[in-house]
Each structure stands twice: as structure tokens, then as C-alpha cells.
Amino acid sequence: RKYKKVVNWYIDNRMIENGELGGGLSDDGDYVEKLTHPRYEILKRYQVELSRKLTGRELEAMRAGIVESGETLKPRKIVPLGGKKYEIPLNEGKKREIRRLTAFFGAPTLRLRRISTGNLLLGDLPEGQFRELSPEEVALSLISSPEP
């Protein structure tokens, strides 16, 4: 599982450990399961800044997928945002997937930020801060957004 049970609290710690924004804490295990398990196909969109701009060939190769440490890594899509920035949506999010993908092509990830979970835009909550989601926001987070 992608979360740890801590006295009936469930932590979606992937982004807490590996990037900015987007981690979560909940006492609702069913909600966390729906949010994190790939079978529910809840899209998480990430904004990524790399050490350099990817070439057209590298983008195509990354879109086709790679095998790294015996594991296939293939993003659903890669959208250039200009310069060294990209948007990458994932619904599975294997351990450090984006960082491993970009490092494979010699363009290490400098900044990784989850910008949405499902249809819920994460906004500009300062790093290290948290707030409770409204029932409407919880519902939005469980609706898979269309790919960029």
C-alpha cells in the first residue's frame, strides 16, 4: 500500500517525501485507498522543472516508456510548458517515477510539485502548511480530471 496506518490516521506520504504539496493525512482509509490505488485511475498532475530542456527525441522516448531497475516507467503524457518546465499526469505514481524518468535521460528533476489531484486544484498553500478539505473538495479529488 502507498500509505501507512498510524493510530487510525492514514498518510499519503509520497509527495511529502519527494516533492512539494500534495501529501495528505486522513482518518478515512477508504478515501485514501480510492485516492492512491491505480485501479481507481485518479489522475495526479505534476509540474516539473528539469535541469535542462528535453530534446524532441528524448520526449518521444520518455512517452514510449523505459525500463529502469526492472520496472517499466511510462508517463500518461508529457506536456511542455516552456523552457525546462513540463506537466506530467500520473495515475499510478510508482516510487520516485518522475525523478527516475528524467534522470534516465540525463535531465534531473530540480523541482516537482503536484498541482492537482483528480479535479481538485491544489492552489498555493505554503510549504509545510495544511488545511482541512471541504466535502466538495473531497468529492472533486476523487473525480479523475481530463488529461492536459
Side-chain angles (χ1 to χ4, degrees), residues 3-73:
Y3 50 85
K4 299 173 187 173
K5 185 175 179 183
V6 183
V7 193
N8 294 326
W9 285 92
Y10 298 85
I11 303 170
D12 173 11
N13 65 345
R14 284 241 152 134
M15 288 302 294
I16 294 170
E17 292 174 355
N18 299 327
E20 300 174 32
L21 295 175
L25 179 66
S26 176
D27 63 352
D28 185 341
D30 291 334
Y31 170 69
V32 174
E33 174 78 10
K34 288 176 184 167
L35 204 60
T36 59
H37 198 284
R39 77 171 162 256
Y40 296 103
E41 296 196 12
I42 302 300
L43 211 56
K44 288 90 175 172
R45 292 182 14 230
Y46 299 89
Q47 191 173 80
V48 184
E49 182 178 351
L50 305 180
S51 62
R52 64 174 178 80
K53 185 177 179 179
L54 296 170
T55 67
R57 281 190 172 175
E58 289 170 329
L59 280 170
E60 289 308 312
M62 192 181 288
R63 287 179 180 123
I66 64 164
V67 176
E68 195 264 346
S69 299
E71 189 171 32
T72 300
L73 305 176

Side-chain angles (χ1 to χ4, degrees), residues 2 14 71-74 90 92-98 100:
K2 295 180 185 165
R14 284 241 152 134
E71 189 171 32
T72 300
L73 305 176
K74 183 178 178 184
L90 300 173
E92 187 169 352
K94 296 174 182 171
K95 184 174 181 179
R96 300 180 59 87
E97 182 170 3
I98 292 173
R100 291 165 59 198

Side-chain angles (χ1 to χ4, degrees), residues 45-50 54 59 62-63 75-89 115 146-148:
R45 292 182 14 230
Y46 299 89
Q47 191 173 80
V48 184
E49 182 178 351
L50 305 180
L54 296 170
L59 280 170
M62 192 181 288
R63 287 179 180 123
R76 295 197 40 159
K77 196 171 194 175
I78 303 169
V79 180
L81 299 176
K84 304 179 292 183
K85 292 185 180 181
Y86 300 86
E87 184 174 316
I88 301 176
I115 56 174
E147 294 186 34

